[in-house]
Amino acid sequence: MLGSPCLLWLLAVTSLVPRAQPLAPQDFEEEEEDETETAWPPLPAVPCDYDHCRHLQVPCKELQRAGPAACLCPGLSSPAQPPDPPRMGEVLIAAEEGRAVVHWCAPFSPVLHYWLLLWDGSEAAQKGPPLNATVRRAELKGLKPGGVYVVCVVAANEAGASRVPQAGGEGLEGADIPAFGPCSRLAVPPNPRTLVHAAVGVGTALALLSCAALVWHFCLRDRWGCPRRAAARAAGAL
């Protein structure tokens, strides 16, 4: 009879202890999601390494796919509209070789290709070959020393081409060329070799004139005598 109260007491204590409940699959998924969010925080978005003025610049969309995280591309206008005019940059002129290297910056618009326009004082412009959309530098050849030109860069896509000032019809002097626009005026200096040859020619001519003047002077003195010697002789005779 003593064991029955102890047995009843054990049963009462066991009934008060909460039983462990089995975890459902949904509970495991929630725990895994919480651990993943805590261990891998999202990376902050940064601008892509894209420069509008860099020569052979990789398109920004390719930079987004190649990077470890998606970067931000600069805003562009709609591809259904013609591109904005590019901005002309530095122009390096080599007068000895009759050429110039032109740099420009891409517009904030989708561009498929570029080309250059060159005016040499006539109404008709010379159009260069199409250039890839990654190109930001081109070379002009056949420039005449001492000549004045107007060069413009044009951007184009499927909707059309960018605007260009009317430099050919108005002439080079009356053309309205903005300071940061798509065009630039080129004044090719004379060839340094030509200047050297001209200087040598002028120096040679001056040397010949000096020699001729000296010869003429000595010839006259021998013929008519030196005025100072004649005056001295006359004073001695007196």
Side-chain angles (χ1 to χ4, degrees):
M1 297 298 292
L2 292 176
S4 57
C6 295
L7 181 60
L8 292 176
W9 180 81
L10 290 174
L11 291 176
V13 172
T14 306
S15 60
L16 294 176
V17 176
R19 297 181 179 180
Q21 298 180 357
L23 295 176
Q26 296 178 355
D27 298 334
F28 286 104
E29 293 179 359
E30 292 179 357
E31 292 180 359
E32 292 178 357
E33 290 178 357
D34 296 339
E35 293 178 357
T36 305
E37 292 178 358
T38 305
W40 302 98
L43 296 176
V46 296
C48 298
D49 184 17
Y50 182 85
D51 189 352
H52 287 268
C53 303
R54 183 184 298 163
H55 183 52
L56 301 180
Q57 173 63 63
V58 178
C60 192
K61 292 184 178 180
E62 296 185 10
L63 295 177
Q64 285 183 325
R65 293 193 295 265
C71 56
L72 298 177
C73 289
L76 301 177
S77 61
S78 173
Q81 299 177 356
D84 294 332
R87 180 170 61 86
M88 183 68 69
E90 185 181 15
V91 179
L92 302 178
I93 301 175
E96 298 181 359
E97 304 174 3
R99 65 182 183 88
V101 180
V102 181
H103 299 77
W104 67 86
C105 297
F108 289 90
S109 305
V111 178
L112 295 180
H113 54 269
Y114 300 94
W115 68 75
L116 295 180
L117 296 177
L118 182 67
W119 284 273
D120 57 357
S122 59
E123 295 184 359
Q126 302 178 15
K127 182 179 179 180
L131 305 173
N132 193 284
T134 63
V135 175
R136 304 290 187 272
R137 183 177 63 204
E139 185 177 288
L140 298 173
K141 297 182 179 180
L143 302 180
K144 299 178 181 180
V148 179
Y149 301 87
V150 171
V151 59
C152 299
V153 57
V154 181
N157 57 17
E158 296 180 354
S162 59
R163 301 181 305 275
V164 176
Q166 298 295 328
E170 299 178 3
L172 298 177
E173 297 181 356
D176 185 13
I177 301 178
F180 299 99
C183 301
S184 178
R185 182 179 282 106
L186 306 181
V188 182
N191 195 327
R193 296 179 181 178
T194 304
L195 296 177
V196 172
H197 293 165
V200 172
V202 172
T204 304
L206 293 176
L208 292 176
L209 289 175
S210 300
C211 293
L214 291 174
V215 171
W216 181 260
H217 172 73
F218 286 114
C219 289
L220 290 178
R221 190 181 66 174
D222 293 340
R223 182 175 181 180
W224 300 101
C226 182
R228 294 182 178 178
R229 292 180 181 179
R233 291 175 182 176
L238 295 176

